[in-house]
Amino acid sequence: MEGTRTSGARGAARAAGRSAGRSSARAEAPGGTAEPRRTGPLIVTEDLALLDDLLRLCAAAGVEPEVHHRVPERRASWTDPPLVLVGDDAAARCRAAARRPGVVLVGREQDDPGVWRLAVEAGAECVLRLPEAESVLVDRIADAAEGVGRQALTVGVVGGRGGAGASTLACGLALAAARTGRRTLLVDGDPLGGGLDVLLGGEREDGRRWPDFAASKGRLAGGALEESLPAVRGVRVLSWGREPAAPVPPEAVRSVLAAARRRGGIVVVDLPRGTDEAAAEALAQLDLGLLVVPGELRAVAAAHRVASILGMVVRDLRAVVRGPYAAGLDERWVADALRLPLAGELPYDPGIVADQDAGVPPGAEPRGALGRFCAAFWDRALAPGGAA
């Protein structure tokens, strides 16, 4: 067993065969095809039953581990893997190993009072007990293999009333974010909105759309998701197909957005005004919500109802006020009437409609009113300690 890859090992065959039945999280590429195996953790244990469990969980995470029964003699074999899983039977043998991040002590004994002493001696960051921690461990293995760091800053855009310009702002924000050189995903959360790929001029680009993810559940690989989506002007876009499709279940929305956020950068979500279960899943993953409100009394009244619903889910909701204004109104009055912080005033730009007719996406021109607004927004949001 010392120093072997598991692809040809006796335990791996059994593990792969049982992974679907004993773990709720599976790493699959969009469309249900298996994602290519990635470099996985180092496993240190002589407990064959525990090893069998760990191989199964690695298979569920879509990674291939390396197995040793003691600290490898070759230093790089200990320090290079993204994660080290030390069985509680092997903790004492890891005392002299070089200290490194990403060491997890794993076992199955629930009432061992000395487990934390063993964890400290082995340099482990935490202790996980199976089977209770199986889903946590699958996520930890997959995150480590994928190189997950800080999650993406996720901004949702919602119209205070129909035609408020939420989709226009969402596209402008995504294009401005891409111009900063950051990884950017634009997610169309409104199945009745006509398609953000159309608004960006990318409806003919190859890639997957929301209906392709309707059966998704558990964990999706962030890299596989991103690479499957159409790329338009430096932005990966998840939109709706042209054909009528069944609604995407809430659990699929949860899986897709979690995968989109996992690789960092910026995620912009264009959301419907209604809050069904799928929309609620999207709202729950936002870092910041922007409510777009035209400067007119009826729009403010409609936006007040939307804000009261969103405020129960979105922890940071702010108003973006759009001119022109009715008599006596300005951006501060509108934000105060909604009892929301003001994220900014979006100047009226009559040229946006003409640009769209000419095939120019909203916000594509950095010097236009929308482009300047979005650039200023990201300058504030991406500043140290800032969220707009």
Side-chain angles (χ1 to χ4, degrees):
M1 175 170 73
E2 179 71 18
T4 60
R5 289 281 178 183
T6 63
S7 54
R10 163 182 61 86
R14 293 201 310 269
R18 293 201 303 266
S19 61
R22 293 177 60 187
S23 178
S24 60
R26 292 192 296 273
E28 292 186 351
T33 59
E35 184 191 4
R37 290 294 173 91
R38 297 158 290 165
T39 300
L42 167 67
I43 297 175
V44 183
T45 184
E46 284 187 307
D47 184 333
L48 292 180
L50 178 60
L51 175 61
D52 202 39
D53 282 338
L54 293 177
L55 293 178
R56 171 173 54 81
L57 298 179
C58 286
V63 302
E64 183 179 353
E66 186 170 333
V67 178
H68 290 254
H69 60 73
R70 60 174 56 88
V71 176
E73 294 181 2
R74 183 170 171 268
R75 180 181 175 89
S77 295
W78 171 262
T79 59
D80 288 358
L83 186 69
V84 177
L85 305 179
V86 177
D88 53 6
D89 67 293
R93 296 194 293 276
C94 295
R95 290 171 181 165
R99 287 298 189 256
R100 53 149 294 166
V103 177
V104 177
L105 186 67
V106 186
R108 287 180 287 116
E109 292 293 335
Q110 302 299 316
D111 300 317
D112 182 0
V115 65
W116 287 104
R117 176 183 55 80
L118 290 173
V120 171
E121 292 176 353
E125 295 178 351
C126 63
V127 177
L128 296 179
R129 290 307 192 187
L130 305 181
E132 287 80 2
E134 283 195 357
S135 62
V136 174
L137 188 52
V138 169
D139 282 346
R140 184 73 184 264
I141 292 168
D143 282 348
E146 204 170 358
V148 172
R150 183 178 180 180
Q151 287 196 328
L153 174 62
T154 305
V155 177
V157 187
V158 185
R161 65 155 169 79
S167 297
T168 295
L169 178 57
C171 286
L173 287 172
L175 292 172
R179 285 194 289 269
T180 70
R182 289 172 170 82
R183 168 189 176 269
T184 305
L185 267 71
L186 176 61
V187 179
D188 190 347
D190 187 356
L192 303 180
L196 292 184
D197 55 348
V198 176
L199 195 57
L200 281 174
E203 66 271 20
R204 297 184 183 276
E205 297 293 330
D206 291 335
R208 297 186 181 275
R209 267 69 176 179
W210 265 118
D212 297 309
F213 297 94
S216 299
K217 60 179 64 175
R219 180 192 172 92
L220 290 176
L225 168 69
E226 183 175 351
E227 292 168 8
S228 75
L229 300 178
V232 185
R233 294 175 178 259
V235 177
R236 293 284 182 170
V237 185
L238 176 55
S239 190
W240 299 86
R242 306 283 77 81
E243 300 297 325
V248 174
E251 57 268 23
V253 174
R254 184 189 316 126
S255 295
V256 168
L257 283 181
R261 300 185 65 204
R262 200 175 293 126
R263 289 172 63 85
I266 292 170
V267 175
V268 179
V269 188
D270 181 26
L271 289 160
R273 295 171 64 221
T275 53
D276 58 14
E277 291 186 11
E281 288 289 351
L283 290 168
Q285 298 204 42
L286 300 182
D287 297 305
L288 174 64
L290 299 178
L291 183 63
V292 184
V293 188
E296 56 190 51
L297 286 174
R298 288 188 64 193
V300 173
H304 190 275
R305 292 191 290 272
V306 177
S308 65
I309 296 172
L310 297 183
M312 294 186 290
V313 183
V314 181
R315 53 182 177 269
D316 189 353
L317 180 64
R318 307 186 187 191
V320 173
V321 184
R322 178 174 65 80
Y325 296 99
L329 272 61
D330 61 18
E331 69 275 15
R332 290 289 177 187
W333 188 96
V334 172
D336 289 345
L338 295 171
R339 298 178 182 174
L340 293 177
L342 178 64
E345 178 192 14
L346 184 58
Y348 176 63
D349 186 356
I352 286 182
V353 175
D355 286 345
Q356 291 181 29
D357 291 341
V360 179
E365 173 50 63
R367 291 171 293 183
L370 178 59
R372 294 195 308 271
F373 173 89
C374 293
F377 172 84
W378 290 125
D379 284 345
R380 296 190 303 273
L382 298 173

